[in-house]
Amino acid sequence: PYLHAAFQFDENGTLIAPFDLPDDQVPPKDTIAFSRTFRQAQQAEQSGQYEEALQSYLQAEQFALDDILGGEARFAYARMLDRTGQTDEALVELSRFDNNYSDVRDRRGFRLTDLAALKRAEITFKQDEPKGIEELIELAETLLSHRWSVGMPGETAQPLLEEA
């Protein structure tokens, strides 16, 4: 009951929305140093070496040439803080996304602020279930509070211009 979706059909019943993100969107500026370091961090994470992954994600952020890749690395770093038991530090890092990455989407099209809010709620849920539930409901209500279109699979919210 908590999952909502919106689809738009034309007069013939053909699905015309969710929409894709604009084709003129500039891809992130990837570098060999970023890719290598980020991949090493992912491999360390997958093998359960969270401390190593933590440091590698932080290093990858230093190699990022734009906010997209830098934000992805910073988000992964915050996740690893939580995984290594540094929960308070993880929550602080995640709360910074509202100011530092307010309009940034990752390479899949997700808004980093939405991902950070979801992760904060998940962490809170583990510590204080009722408060975590409140945060999850608040996030869902925020995302559903205005009209939106799906930009990419799993897209959160992208307000549409209101019709005159």
Side-chain angles (χ1 to χ4, degrees), residues 47-76:
S47 65
Q49 299 169 324
Y50 301 130
E51 287 288 344
E52 183 181 327
L54 177 82
Q55 296 308 315
S56 293
Y57 282 129
L58 190 58
Q59 185 179 18
E61 182 188 17
Q62 304 305 310
F63 293 129
L65 297 179
D66 63 21
D67 286 341
I68 296 170
L69 299 180
E72 286 183 23
R74 196 62 166 186
F75 180 72

Side-chain angles (χ1 to χ4, degrees), residues 6 8 16-22 148-153 155 158 160:
Q8 184 178 0
I16 58 174
F19 305 103
D20 288 329
L21 292 175
W148 56 280
S149 65
V150 175
M152 294 184 76
E155 172 64 27
Q158 179 179 348
L160 297 172

Side-chain angles (χ1 to χ4, degrees), residues 4-110:
H4 297 262
F7 300 96
Q8 184 178 0
F9 298 89
D10 67 12
E11 61 277 355
N12 297 321
T14 303
L15 180 66
I16 58 174
F19 305 103
D20 288 329
L21 292 175
D23 291 335
D24 60 351
Q25 199 169 25
V26 179
K29 297 174 185 164
D30 202 350
T31 64
I32 292 172
F34 175 85
S35 294
R36 184 175 358 132
T37 308
F38 196 83
R39 190 172 41 255
Q40 287 171 346
Q42 289 175 315
Q43 290 169 348
E45 180 180 357
Q46 290 170 354
S47 65
Q49 299 169 324
Y50 301 130
E51 287 288 344
E52 183 181 327
L54 177 82
Q55 296 308 315
S56 293
Y57 282 129
L58 190 58
Q59 185 179 18
E61 182 188 17
Q62 304 305 310
F63 293 129
L65 297 179
D66 63 21
D67 286 341
I68 296 170
L69 299 180
E72 286 183 23
R74 196 62 166 186
F75 180 72
Y77 170 73
R79 286 188 306 99
M80 289 305 99
L81 284 171
D82 181 46
R83 283 258 171 105
T84 58
Q86 301 173 69
T87 305
D88 292 338
E89 292 87 346
L91 290 170
V92 168
E93 281 296 326
L94 292 166
S95 67
R96 292 182 178 146
F97 275 76
D98 292 338
N99 293 329
N100 298 340
Y101 299 100
S102 60
D103 295 324
V104 178
R105 295 175 184 273
D106 72 3
R107 288 176 279 188
R108 299 169 300 168
F110 290 105

